[in-house]
Amino acid sequence: MVSRWTRTKVTDVEALKAVSHPLRTRLLGLLRLDGPATASELARRVGESSGSTSYHLRQLARYGFVVEDEQQPSRRERRWRAAAALTSWQDDDFVADPAGREASDALGEIQLQHAMRNNRRWRQERRSWPAAWRRAGGASDVQVHLTAAAAKRLTQEIFDLVQRYELESADDPKAQPVGVFYQLTPGRSVLTEEEGS
């Protein structure tokens, strides 16, 4: 299993385009969440042909997002694993390039959709969870006034805090996967703009 806090930092437009494909993002996510798998195993999970998943895994491998697993159960089919637990990129690295902006926007949209699916799933299932988890889960938003330097520090501190809490819970058998989504977006809030219209 790949270490939880390793990351692939994307600075190349072609690599960002490669990983911003919805199926590739899903395959990479499954390898990160469930560990190594073959194209056929992943195909069954996502409802695609093994030829399709094999092609997309090779594209992910081409840009270093996945690698062949050290343990290959057979010679007939390759087993793949995620190269790192996280993918990171800076919008500013791509803002001047139309193709880079498009890929960055697509990947950001995939992240947002994933967060929304997690939120919907939680709302549908929350009655079946123990009260302690219902009190622990939730969502919130707040509009604050920050400098660019403070906003950058806040983003790093949120990441560090999430990592610290995961390490604290790592060996506890009661620990559960918890989706954490944060987004720092400078500018007037949509709510404020709608109120003013």
Side-chain angles (χ1 to χ4, degrees), residues 140-161:
S140 181
D141 67 301
V142 62
Q143 191 83 9
V144 295
H145 290 78
L146 302 173
T147 64
K152 185 174 182 180
R153 284 197 318 274
L154 175 61
T155 298
Q156 185 59 52
E157 286 179 30
I158 290 169
F159 186 82
D160 293 344
L161 187 64

Side-chain angles (χ1 to χ4, degrees), residues 91-155:
D91 275 332
D92 194 50
D93 291 342
F94 302 100
V95 73
D97 181 339
R101 273 197 316 275
E102 184 178 340
S104 181
D105 289 349
L107 203 47
E109 186 64 29
I110 289 168
Q111 286 181 315
L112 185 58
Q113 289 172 6
H114 179 71
M116 289 169 60
R117 279 193 305 273
N118 274 346
N119 184 276
R120 278 194 296 273
R121 180 198 44 78
W122 164 249
R123 296 198 173 283
Q124 291 166 354
E125 297 176 359
R126 68 183 184 261
R127 284 181 43 189
S128 66
W129 282 76
W133 276 106
R134 289 196 304 271
R135 288 191 291 270
S140 181
D141 67 301
V142 62
Q143 191 83 9
V144 295
H145 290 78
L146 302 173
T147 64
K152 185 174 182 180
R153 284 197 318 274
L154 175 61
T155 298

Side-chain angles (χ1 to χ4, degrees), residues 62-98:
R62 179 179 177 190
Y63 293 100
F65 295 103
V66 302
V67 294
E68 287 189 37
D69 191 42
E70 294 82 7
Q71 311 228 337
Q72 294 292 331
S74 76
R75 294 182 184 188
R76 290 181 53 228
E77 192 174 17
R78 278 187 271 194
R79 188 160 73 169
W80 300 92
R81 68 172 175 82
L86 305 166
T87 300
S88 66
W89 77 100
Q90 286 286 325
D91 275 332
D92 194 50
D93 291 342
F94 302 100
V95 73
D97 181 339

Side-chain angles (χ1 to χ4, degrees), residues 172-193:
D172 192 323
K174 292 187 238 166
Q176 296 286 332
V178 173
V180 178
F181 177 79
Y182 64 91
Q183 178 180 20
L184 194 146
T185 50
R188 278 173 70 84
S189 73
V190 174
L191 179 63
T192 305
E193 291 170 5

